[in-house]
Amino acid sequence: MIYDYSIYEMSNKEKTIFYSVGYGCIAFMVFLFYHSLLLSLLSGVLVRYIRPFYEQFMVRRRMQDLEAQFKDLLYCISASVAAGRQMQEALVEAEESMSIMYSQDRSIMIELSYMRKCILENNESDRILLEDFARRSKSEDINNFVQVYTTCRNMGGDLEKIISRASVILTDKMNIEREIKAITAQKTLEGRIIALMPPAMLLALNLVSQSYIAPLYSTLTGRLIMTGCLAATVCGVWLMEKISAIEL
């Protein structure tokens, strides 16, 4: 299935798992802060507002996976072009070469299968297919490569050298991103642990000393304090995720 990579559509199974787990987590958190079964059951429907954030996360992860696969595709195309193949032939041959590394359900294999059918059955231009792929991928790296290739094809140039250089640049960029993620991974993990500490402490107090925190659930002042704590926890998690999300 050919699709726009900036849009993530969950399968029916994924929707069931997401809504079930999300509803349960939200209901549990609200019950932990308010001790109200009715409120916790009603608040579980807020999971629908979390869905866009989950879809954005999956879009970013799929984009990173696609760019890594595209880097391997460039190596295959570069080898074919170096052997004297045209770009159309290189794209057709790349599907067989890439099948050694990736299963048929991976994004790059789906794209190559689609391109092969369009080239062999409909005799479509490789330039049009690559431009369509770049437009749907929403990837800056893929789009830059396609623009360079289109310019090279129209103006003339050393295609083998251009593809090889693009592979080197893309690999270097991915290595830099990997190093940055490794540096920030520990701090991100620490931030998530800190964000989970207030609910964890509250759960522990509920288990071992309910009478100690009973006023927080039975008085108006206690309710306001718990509401502020819950809001601060949610805001803290959101800010932590925004700060740790580094884009190049």
Side-chain angles (χ1 to χ4, degrees):
M1 182 180 65
I2 302 303
Y3 46 80
D4 190 331
Y5 288 88
S6 64
I7 300 175
Y8 184 80
E9 296 182 359
M10 292 190 291
S11 63
N12 292 332
K13 179 180 179 180
E14 191 174 4
K15 287 179 181 178
T16 302
I17 296 175
F18 171 78
Y19 282 113
S20 299
V21 175
Y23 182 93
C25 291
I26 293 176
F28 174 77
M29 285 291 291
V30 173
F31 183 81
L32 183 62
F33 278 84
Y34 293 101
H35 278 193
S36 173
L37 182 59
L38 177 62
L39 182 61
S40 63
L41 293 177
L42 292 176
S43 62
V45 299
L46 295 175
V47 67
R48 61 183 297 183
Y49 298 104
I50 301 178
R51 178 174 174 176
F53 298 99
Y54 173 77
E55 291 176 341
Q56 291 174 11
F57 169 77
M58 294 302 296
V59 165
R60 291 195 300 269
R61 193 170 74 170
R62 185 173 60 184
M63 182 74 68
Q64 294 171 356
D65 190 44
L66 177 64
E67 290 178 345
Q69 297 170 28
F70 183 74
K71 180 197 68 173
D72 295 328
L73 173 62
L74 287 181
Y75 287 129
C76 294
I77 294 177
S78 179
S80 296
V81 172
R85 305 288 195 277
Q86 297 295 322
M87 178 60 80
Q88 285 185 331
E89 298 173 325
L91 289 173
V92 172
E93 293 179 353
E95 182 182 7
E96 182 177 356
S97 301
M98 295 286 286
S99 64
I100 301 176
M101 298 179 287
Y102 300 106
S103 59
Q104 293 298 321
D105 60 343
R106 300 296 292 274
S107 299
I108 198 65
M109 296 303 299
I110 295 175
E111 293 292 341
L112 287 174
S113 176
Y114 172 74
M115 291 181 186
R116 175 180 55 80
K117 293 178 181 178
C118 290
I119 292 173
L120 297 180
E121 298 177 7
N122 303 327
N123 197 29
E124 292 191 26
S125 169
D126 57 283
R127 179 181 59 82
I128 295 177
L129 291 173
L130 288 173
E131 288 178 346
D132 176 65
F133 174 46
R135 177 184 57 79
R136 289 184 290 103
S137 71
K138 301 297 189 296
S139 170
E140 182 181 357
D141 295 324
I142 297 176
N143 186 64
N144 289 339
F145 168 77
V146 173
Q147 288 183 356
V148 170
Y149 166 70
T150 302
T151 302
C152 177
R153 177 176 173 177
N154 294 336
M155 305 298 294
D158 190 341
L159 183 59
E160 178 185 354
K161 184 177 181 180
I162 290 174
I163 295 177
S164 299
R165 182 59 179 167
S167 301
V168 172
I169 293 175
L170 184 58
T171 301
D172 290 342
K173 180 180 179 182
M174 292 181 64
N175 289 336
I176 293 174
E177 291 177 342
R178 190 178 298 111
E179 291 177 2
I180 293 177
K181 289 179 181 179
I183 294 173
T184 59
Q186 181 179 355
K187 296 301 180 182
T188 301
L189 178 60
E190 292 175 358
R192 290 172 178 172
I193 293 175
I194 293 174
L196 291 175
M197 286 301 294
M201 293 179 62
L202 185 59
L203 176 61
L205 289 173
N206 273 276
L207 293 176
V208 301
S209 182
Q210 292 186 359
S211 59
Y212 180 75
I213 58 172
L216 293 175
Y217 298 104
S218 58
T219 64
L220 177 61
T221 303
R223 296 287 187 180
L224 293 176
I225 292 175
M226 297 300 277
T227 301
C229 292
L230 179 59
T233 300
V234 173
C235 291
V237 172
W238 180 78
L239 287 174
M240 183 273 298
E241 293 294 336
K242 292 290 289 185
I243 292 173
S244 61
I246 299 176
E247 297 183 2
L248 297 180

